């Protein structure tokens, strides 16, 4: 119980401490091989290093960004909240999902809002950490998109909780808000339209994920910005989110998926799982 409450945070803090110092070292490598300015100060610039060393430094930045994002994503606030406040595991109820939707049906609106906000914040934090702290001299756009993908993977398969987590929707929203905020209103509009029509959060989430790479492509193309990496990264993200909703899609086909406003799951009852009578 003590590890559940403190272990993930201490593990992540230690990792960030180590990666910060590792990144500092790689950016100041080879003092004698770098040129100096007129005052005799060494110019620490990745471009002044040999090609192989530059590739190594870049790879370190990518690895650190991905690893930190995965650990941050593994902080599953749905599980933490349910265990700390209710002494129960949210994954034992409803859809067995550790995200905000299942929390809403099991513990109510307040709990769901808490879980959604913090799951979104960790997605945004992963992207910002990668861009401004861990990337070093590597390509910041690659670092940021790697962080987005691995934060969502961490949320879906959290190392701290037996690799059973959520479906990545809230974490994706947070990462998009930090990385490509211009696309977020369009994605949210799709989500709200489908939710209003079908009354199913899962269907709205799948529709939003499906259209995310197309929205990204169009928005970046219209703004005359490079769209290759953003479109590819969001396409991978869409596949992941839709894959995690595969059971929801089966229940939709069978007509068994819970709709918004359906009876709340009783966390004190047994066998309160989707599709069970």
């Amino acid at each position: 119980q003590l590890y559940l409450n403190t272990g993930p945070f201490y593990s992540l803090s230690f990792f960030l401490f180590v990666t910060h110092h590792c990144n500092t070292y790689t950016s100041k490598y080879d003092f004698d091989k770098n040129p100096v300015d007129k005052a005799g100060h060494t110019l620490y610039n990745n471009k002044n290093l040999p090609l192989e060393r530059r590739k190594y430094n870049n790879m370190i930045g990518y690895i650190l960004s991905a690893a930190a994002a995965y650990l941050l994503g593994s902080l599953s606030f749905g599980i933490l909240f349910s265990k700390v406040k209710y002494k129960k595991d949210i994954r034992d109820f409803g859809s067995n999902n550790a995200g905000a939707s299942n929390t809403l049906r099991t513990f109510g609106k307040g709990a769901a809002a808490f879980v959604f906000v913090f799951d979104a914040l960790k997605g945004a934090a992963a992207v910002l950490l990668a861009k401004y702290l861990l990337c070093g001299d590597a390509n910041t756009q690659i670092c940021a998109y790697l962080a987005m993908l691995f934060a969502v993977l961490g949320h879906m398969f959290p190392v701290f909780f037996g690799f059973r987590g959520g479906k990545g929707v809230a974490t994706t929203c947070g990462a998009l808000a930090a990385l490509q905020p211009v696309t977020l209103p369009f994605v949210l509009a799709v989500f709200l339209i489908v939710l209003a029509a079908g009354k199913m959060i899962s269907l709205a989430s799948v529709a939003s994920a499906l259209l995310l790479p197309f929205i990204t492509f169009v928005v970046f193309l219209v703004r005359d910005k490079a769209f290759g990496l953003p479109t590819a990264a969001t396409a991978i993200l869409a596949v992941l989110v839709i894959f995690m909703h595969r059971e929801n899609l089966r229940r939709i086909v069978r007509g068994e998926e819970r709709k918004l406003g359906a009876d709340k799951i009783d966390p004190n009852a047994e066998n309160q799982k989707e599709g069970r009578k």
Side-chain angles (χ1 to χ4, degrees), residues 107-137:
F107 297 117
K109 295 178 181 178
F114 175 90
V115 171
F116 182 89
V117 168
F118 279 90
D119 280 347
L121 284 175
K122 73 184 181 186
V127 169
L128 295 176
L129 277 172
K131 287 182 69 174
Y132 299 111
L133 180 63
L134 302 176
C135 196
D137 294 314

Side-chain angles (χ1 to χ4, degrees), residues 101 104-105 190-205 207 248 252 256-263 274:
S101 298
L104 173 65
R105 291 189 292 264
V190 172
F191 179 89
L192 293 174
I193 290 170
V194 177
L195 181 63
K199 306 296 183 184
M200 288 181 280
I201 296 176
S202 57
L203 183 61
S205 299
N248 300 84
I252 290 172
E256 297 175 353
E257 182 73 344
R258 284 178 179 267
K259 293 190 176 183
L260 194 65
D263 292 339
E274 296 284 359

Side-chain angles (χ1 to χ4, degrees), residues 29-51:
Y29 177 80
D30 280 350
F31 299 95
D32 56 334
K33 294 182 181 179
N34 281 301
V36 295
D37 61 15
K38 293 181 180 179
H41 299 299
T42 304
L43 299 176
Y44 302 121
N45 190 327
N46 197 43
K47 294 179 180 179
N48 299 323
L49 296 177
L51 177 61

Side-chain angles (χ1 to χ4, degrees), residues 118-171:
F118 279 90
D119 280 347
L121 284 175
K122 73 184 181 186
V127 169
L128 295 176
L129 277 172
K131 287 182 69 174
Y132 299 111
L133 180 63
L134 302 176
C135 196
D137 294 314
N139 185 303
T140 55
Q141 190 180 42
I142 295 177
C143 286
Y145 278 101
L146 277 174
M148 178 180 73
L149 290 172
F150 276 86
V152 174
L153 280 171
H155 178 77
M156 293 174 173
F157 309 104
V159 67
F160 304 125
F161 301 104
F163 302 99
R164 290 177 54 227
K167 296 175 182 174
V169 175
T171 306

